[in-house]
Amino acid sequence: MVLFNTCCIRENADQKLYGNLGHMKALKDVRPDLRIVVGGCLAQKDKSIIQQRAPYVDVVLGTHNLASLPRLLREAETGPAFEILEQTEVFPSALPARRKSGWHAWVSISIGCNNSCTFCIVPSVRGVEVSRRTGDIVSEVQELVADGVVEITLLGQNVNSYGRDLDGTPLFAKLLRALDRVDRLQRVRFTSPHPKDFRMDTVEAMAECRTVCEHIHLPVQAGSDRVLKRMKRAYTRKRYLDKVQMVRDALPEVAISTDIIVGFPGETEADFQETLTLVEEVQYDSAYTFQYSPRPMTEAATYGGQVPKEIVQERYERLTSLQDAISFRRNQRHLDAIEEVIVEGPSKKDPARLSGRTRTNKLVHFDSGPAPEGSFRTVRISKVHPHFLEDSGRAFLRAGAQAPVLAARRRTSGEATCSSCN
Ligand code: SAH
Ligand code: SF4
């Protein structure tokens, strides 16, 4: 069986799927017992188009019915099986998972999204926001930890509104605190908080919870109020900057990353300049930068003023070179610092070295003897680059639960907390 789990957030994923299905046709001709399955957002968006364009696909299922896959495969014994539902009825948390990593796990806390950003196809293909019960999340994390997981990343389109559909009030900060009590869990990350819903209670939980890493991904999308309004992001540049200040006041060493779209319809050079000045002002550690692509079922796709491709490309290059310079500057703050990393495996740049990630989500390549994935090492940063750090001495095994330098940097309301005493 070959299963394509698809994404349709940007245009190029669409094109990839149909190209890949073309290759599968040749394989299916010589192996009629091969089962081809297409699932995920693109299947949800394209519905019957997949079977029209690739009639040899055996199963098409959408984003709301992953659990139906075994049944659909059985049905496919007698002919193509197709099932797309419009809403998730049961949170798919009970599904057994096979995880690639023994030490890290992605944990879904909510699915869907209740916002209506005009560029975004997610609400159409993922439906309304549904939160998973806190008890279920905590139990899953406990089981993961019992299996050797030390780091989790909580997933949701707008993690800060987690729980609103359960209790009428957001419960994300409470969830972070509940997970912080899970014995032997070392690191908690989350993605993404929406800036409009990112509040002090979450910042306090980030600062006070031993496990929550000093990194926040806070997607801004654009620096101009005019563009933000046309995107329906529900915050202004000033409100966004206030949120950045709020998190830096509580966690001075926090690393901040973001998502930015270049070439949103109607974006003028003056608007784009405001994105550049915002990037300068915030000094992001890193940014995911995207060229706007019109998506079906979105409001922005109907807007006038689509920006010509060559202008988008040119703005994109100016933005990425500015961000690279800032990332390099931000990374220089780590020179000579002693940092704790979790070993991710051999370095992709040089397999004789290892790679690991700091709590601030910085990738570090370092010299070391063999070390199992998921183990902790303490490194001293001797060289920095825009996208990674290096330690060319030999990393040593950590002594405590957390590197002392980082522990001392945590601060809540002016009070230093030391994780080894928590
Ligand atoms: N829920 C998250 C975003 C998830 S989508 C949030 O609101 O922040 C991930 C990123 O893809 C977005 O932040 C945006 O920068 C980018 N993206 C989404 N739709 C896009 C489009 N039509 N064109 C280009 N980039 C897009
Ligand atoms: Fe899309 Fe994120 Fe906006 Fe939801 S909040 S509509 S997922 S960009």
Side-chain angles (χ1 to χ4, degrees):
M1 177 173 84
V2 177
L3 189 152
F4 292 91
N5 191 17
T6 60
C7 169
C8 67
I9 191 93
R10 285 173 294 275
E11 213 167 12
N12 49 6
D14 279 44
Q15 290 148 6
K16 267 194 210 156
L17 173 73
Y18 290 107
N20 281 320
L21 287 179
H23 296 309
M24 283 295 121
K25 167 91 176 67
L27 210 56
K28 179 98 178 169
D29 286 345
V30 289
R31 294 261 329 246
D33 59 331
L34 176 74
R35 292 282 169 264
I36 304 173
V37 179
V38 181
C41 294
L42 196 60
Q44 189 75 28
K45 169 175 88 67
D46 281 4
K47 302 193 168 64
S48 55
I49 297 173
I50 293 179
Q51 280 180 331
Q52 282 159 24
R53 288 184 62 175
Y56 46 86
V57 168
D58 297 282
V59 174
V60 177
L61 79 170
T63 51
H64 301 295
N65 53 338
L66 190 56
S68 310
L69 180 59
R71 172 175 54 80
L72 291 169
L73 275 171
R74 277 194 301 276
E75 286 174 20
E77 296 293 327
T78 52
F82 171 93
E83 186 180 270
I84 305 276
L85 306 180
E86 286 314 313
Q87 194 58 51
T88 305
E89 277 139 28
V90 184
F91 202 97
S93 51
L95 291 178
R98 179 168 173 183
R99 297 180 191 269
K100 219 169 108 190
S101 158
W103 61 271
H104 174 269
W106 304 94
V107 178
S108 198
I109 64 166
S110 62
I111 50 174
C113 179
N114 288 352
N115 294 319
S116 43
C117 305
T118 56
F119 53 81
C120 183
I121 196 173
V122 168
S124 306
V125 289
R126 291 272 161 181
V128 295
E129 188 178 80
V130 181
S131 302
R132 192 173 163 198
R133 285 182 45 237
T134 305
D136 290 349
I137 300 171
V138 174
S139 310
E140 183 184 353
V141 172
Q142 282 166 336
E143 282 167 26
L144 288 166
V145 170
D147 281 349
V149 165
V150 285
E151 178 180 297
I152 55 161
T153 305
L154 305 175
L155 289 177
Q157 293 298 344
N158 176 2
V159 291
N160 284 111
S161 68
Y162 164 77
R164 218 176 254 161
D165 54 318
L166 296 176
D167 234 31
T169 120
L171 296 171
F172 186 60
K174 280 192 189 155
L175 175 66
L176 289 180
R177 291 178 192 281
L179 292 172
D180 199 48
R181 291 191 287 272
V182 173
D183 207 21
R184 288 181 292 129
L185 178 63
Q186 299 289 341
R187 289 182 178 183
V188 174
R189 303 185 186 280
F190 55 87
T191 192
S192 293
H194 190 299
K196 85 176 157 67
D197 296 315
F198 183 56
R199 279 180 301 272
M200 198 55 201
D201 59 342
T202 298
V203 175
E204 282 169 353
M206 285 179 74
E208 288 163 18
C209 291
R210 160 190 71 87
T211 50
V212 180
C213 291
E214 294 78 6
H215 169 229
I216 184 145
H217 183 69
L218 204 55
V220 67
Q221 314 298 359
S224 139
D225 281 343
R226 206 181 67 86
V227 173
L228 287 171
K229 196 160 179 198
R230 280 163 62 84
M231 287 178 163
K232 293 204 177 139
R233 284 294 286 181
Y235 52 83
T236 58
R237 174 188 176 107
K238 160 118 189 20
R239 271 197 67 202
Y240 180 88
L241 289 170
D242 289 347
K243 308 258 168 160
V244 167
Q245 197 51 51
M246 174 172 83
V247 68
R248 284 206 167 125
D249 284 346
L251 287 152
E253 295 304 319
V254 73
I256 305 182
S257 55
T258 198
D259 289 346
I260 300 174
I261 297 178
V262 178
F264 185 75
E267 183 191 73
T268 62
E269 174 60 27
D271 291 320
F272 177 64
Q273 285 292 337
E274 292 202 51
T275 295
L276 295 180
T277 56
L278 179 124
V279 164
E280 276 283 6
E281 201 167 331
V282 174
Q283 295 281 303
Y284 291 107
D285 290 82
S286 62
Y288 294 91
T289 45
F290 304 105
Q291 302 193 2
Y292 169 74
S293 64
R295 307 307 295 127
M297 302 179 278
T298 65
E299 205 180 314
T302 66
Y303 286 180
Q306 303 283 329
V307 185
K309 247 195 156 344
E310 48 303 344
I311 296 186
V312 177
Q313 181 66 32
E314 188 260 339
R315 286 182 189 163
Y316 178 82
E317 284 165 18
R318 274 150 73 199
L319 176 63
T320 49
S321 68
L322 171 67
Q323 182 52 50
D324 280 355
I326 293 172
S327 298
F328 184 51
R329 211 179 303 151
R330 290 282 302 169
N331 282 349
Q332 279 168 341
R333 297 152 55 93
H334 292 261
L335 257 182
D336 289 332
I338 292 176
E339 305 264 4
E340 174 200 71
V341 294
I342 296 186
V343 176
E344 292 191 349
S347 159
K348 288 196 183 112
K349 290 188 171 293
D350 172 3
R353 306 179 90 192
L354 292 177
S355 291
R357 233 166 248 276
T358 65
R359 288 174 62 97
T360 49
N361 207 31
K362 307 270 179 189
L363 182 64
V364 186
H365 300 297
F366 57 97
D367 297 323
S368 160
E373 289 177 22
S375 64
F376 287 79
R377 289 289 179 278
T378 302
V379 295
R380 186 188 297 279
I381 307 303
S382 56
K383 198 162 178 203
V384 303
H385 306 262
H387 302 293
F388 62 94
L389 313 175
E390 279 186 87
D391 171 7
S392 22
R394 277 178 85 82
F396 45 94
L397 203 79
R398 75 179 186 155
Q402 200 180 30
V405 172
L406 270 175
R409 279 184 195 158
R410 290 176 156 272
R411 187 160 64 86
T412 318
S413 321
E415 222 176 276
T417 58
C418 175
S419 66
S420 52
C421 300
N422 280 345

